[in-house]
Amino acid sequence: MLFLFFGGVAAWVARDYPMGSAVRMGPGYFPLVLGVLLALLGLAACIRGLGIKGEHIESVRFRPLLLILGSVGVFATAIEHAGIIATTILTVVGAAAASPESRPREVIVLVIVLLALAVGVFTYALGLPFKLMPG
């Protein structure tokens, strides 16, 4: 359904651009063709999926969804004020709380590894101007 949606959106946006022809393509030709092909691929996958018998899909659990989305939101809003260290810890712990299978020891190891990666990649390797600590 995502292929169908994004293909339809691409084709809809491309309709306002000049098409040209296959020999002299305009700016709307390529997005329209790719959008239609993507939508057709999505439609084929949807039709094929209707014919497959499988196990019942369980209902959406909102707690994990909200915790993970909230963790990403915390990271996006707090990174400038709280610093990369505190924000990374909050994000990882918040996302880990989404699963009842999370164990404290695993979360601590994950925090340490991701904290080292975040500080190493964003601050030192890429040189992004993130504060390490608040203040």
Side-chain angles (χ1 to χ4, degrees), residues 29-121:
Y29 190 87
F30 193 64
L32 178 69
V33 170
L34 282 183
V36 168
L37 289 175
L38 187 61
L40 289 173
L41 180 65
L43 183 63
C46 286
I47 291 170
R48 184 171 179 252
L50 290 173
I52 297 175
K53 301 241 188 258
E55 57 187 69
H56 179 71
I57 298 173
E58 66 181 64
S59 62
V60 177
R61 296 184 337 217
F62 287 103
R63 181 178 181 266
L65 180 68
L66 293 175
L67 281 170
I68 291 172
L69 288 174
S71 295
V72 173
V74 164
F75 188 86
T77 56
I79 187 74
E80 289 187 32
H81 303 293
I84 196 165
I85 293 174
T87 307
T88 302
I89 292 170
L90 284 172
T91 302
V92 173
V93 170
S99 172
E101 298 171 6
S102 293
R103 288 177 274 206
R105 190 174 296 157
E106 292 172 349
V107 174
I108 291 170
V109 170
L110 188 61
V111 164
I112 292 169
V113 170
L114 290 177
L115 192 56
L117 279 171
V119 170
V121 170

Side-chain angles (χ1 to χ4, degrees), residues 19-26 29:
M19 286 295 137
S21 66
V23 176
R24 297 190 57 87
M25 296 178 198
Y29 190 87

